[in-house]
Amino acid sequence: MRKLTLIFSVLWMLLQSGMCHAGFATSSSRIIYIEGERERSLILSNINDYPIIAQTWVDDGQGNPDQANAPFVVLPAVFKMQPKAIQALRIVQNGSTMPQDRETVFWLNLYEIPGKTKEQMKPLETNQARLDLAMNTQLKVFYRPKSLPKLELRQIAEQLHFFLQQQQGQWLLTCQNPTPYNVSFAGLTVVQAEQGVQVPQDMDMMTKALSQRAYLLHSDFNIIQPDRIIFSLIADDGKTYQGEFDYKLGKIKLEF
């Protein structure tokens, strides 16, 4: 009875966390793998009303298990999940040499193939058709060397710098990240007076460590001298925190 109570408690925690991706609820929205750790774990729940076959692997974002090239192994790699079932995953580093001056990011793939209900197993009529879809959910895996300076999110955010540039008639918002940590944005907005223009959302809004990234703005963008850039950063625990970059002074103002 105690084991059954624990399973329902974990399932309730996953569903309440809001970390639901396709047919999965996950115990976290990202994996932080610290150098020297034996493994990291992730708990999945099948929130579908039908069983699924799941396949897991880590790659550099391509989403193709045949082209997976990452220093991590996921166990189990293939398994079946009944409706509302829970499965623990183990992410283990395979010993490959990793950069020591920055975080390196990979992607954990959760590929689900849906099962069929008794109704779906029935033969189709002549004028009927059925479409079966397989879904792939990707979560970031950050490999963090022990040698990196210990910086809080506030200290990382304070070092970011933004500027607008135009290339071939298209406006871009560029973020410079001089820190050894990757920064992931939940949103970016360019503001002038009372006018605010959001940067179009992308599948991945991350600016990698020790690099810069240009974010494409809408073709009708017309703010040339913005007052500030409003940004939302995603922390290790998946929560978002907001800050502003004063475009004229070149300074960061944080609300956390």
Side-chain angles (χ1 to χ4, degrees):
M1 179 63 70
R2 185 174 300 174
K3 182 178 180 181
L4 185 61
T5 301
L6 177 61
I7 290 175
F8 277 109
S9 298
V10 173
L11 178 58
W12 177 255
M13 176 191 71
L14 292 174
L15 294 176
Q16 292 300 307
S17 70
M19 297 174 184
C20 297
H21 315 272
F24 287 118
T26 61
S27 56
S28 63
S29 61
R30 59 201 54 234
I31 307 295
I32 310 297
Y33 200 106
I34 308 297
E35 180 186 10
E37 291 182 326
R38 293 183 59 184
E39 63 182 52
R40 295 291 291 175
S41 61
L42 181 73
I43 300 177
L44 305 180
S45 173
N46 176 17
I47 60 177
N48 296 300
D49 295 324
Y50 47 81
I52 62 170
I53 298 294
Q55 182 180 5
T56 62
W57 72 93
V58 177
D59 62 19
D60 58 3
Q62 294 183 359
N64 185 342
D66 296 329
Q67 299 179 6
N69 182 22
F72 294 99
V73 176
V74 187
L75 302 171
V78 179
F79 52 91
K80 182 178 180 179
M81 294 185 72
Q82 297 296 333
K84 314 307 178 185
I86 290 175
Q87 174 70 50
L89 296 181
R90 298 166 54 214
I91 298 98
V92 182
Q93 189 190 6
N94 64 12
S96 300
T97 302
M98 302 287 290
Q100 293 297 301
D101 64 338
R102 71 193 70 191
E103 276 187 337
T104 308
V105 63
F106 300 95
W107 295 86
L108 170 63
N109 293 265
L110 307 173
Y111 185 76
E112 57 177 288
I113 304 173
K116 293 183 179 180
T117 63
K118 291 183 179 180
E119 185 67 26
Q120 292 173 328
M121 295 290 289
K122 294 180 180 179
L124 296 175
E125 301 292 338
T126 304
N127 60 345
Q128 290 182 321
R130 179 185 296 127
L131 177 63
D132 295 325
L133 296 177
M135 303 288 291
N136 186 30
T137 299
Q138 291 185 313
L139 303 182
K140 289 177 182 175
V141 179
F142 295 100
Y143 179 82
R144 187 170 293 173
K146 284 184 176 180
S147 59
L148 296 188
K150 301 298 187 292
L151 298 178
E152 297 180 355
L153 184 62
R154 169 182 292 273
Q155 295 172 299
I156 297 171
E158 288 174 341
Q159 299 184 55
L160 301 179
H161 186 84
F162 298 88
F163 62 90
L164 288 173
Q165 60 179 329
Q166 194 175 29
Q167 293 182 359
Q168 298 178 348
Q170 180 67 58
W171 282 101
L172 305 168
L173 174 65
T174 297
C175 173
Q176 291 180 330
N177 176 18
T179 78
Y181 292 87
N182 298 291
V183 292
S184 296
F185 296 102
L188 288 164
T189 303
V190 182
V191 180
Q192 183 180 42
E194 300 302 319
Q195 180 185 4
V197 178
Q198 290 187 344
V199 174
Q201 285 293 124
D202 196 355
M203 289 285 291
D204 178 20
M205 297 288 286
M206 180 178 65
T207 299
K208 291 187 176 182
L210 303 177
S211 67
Q212 67 180 32
R213 175 176 172 180
Y215 297 86
L216 186 66
L217 294 161
H218 290 293
S219 58
D220 59 351
F221 180 79
N222 59 2
I223 297 178
I224 309 303
Q225 291 294 328
D227 298 321
R228 61 193 187 276
I229 310 296
I230 299 176
F231 59 87
S232 294
L233 280 178
I234 305 175
D236 286 352
D237 59 5
K239 294 180 180 179
T240 58
Y241 298 87
Q242 186 164 297
E244 292 184 4
F245 175 76
D246 188 312
Y247 200 85
K248 297 178 181 178
L249 299 179
K251 294 183 178 181
I252 293 285
K253 176 183 176 182
L254 304 174
E255 297 182 9
F256 57 93

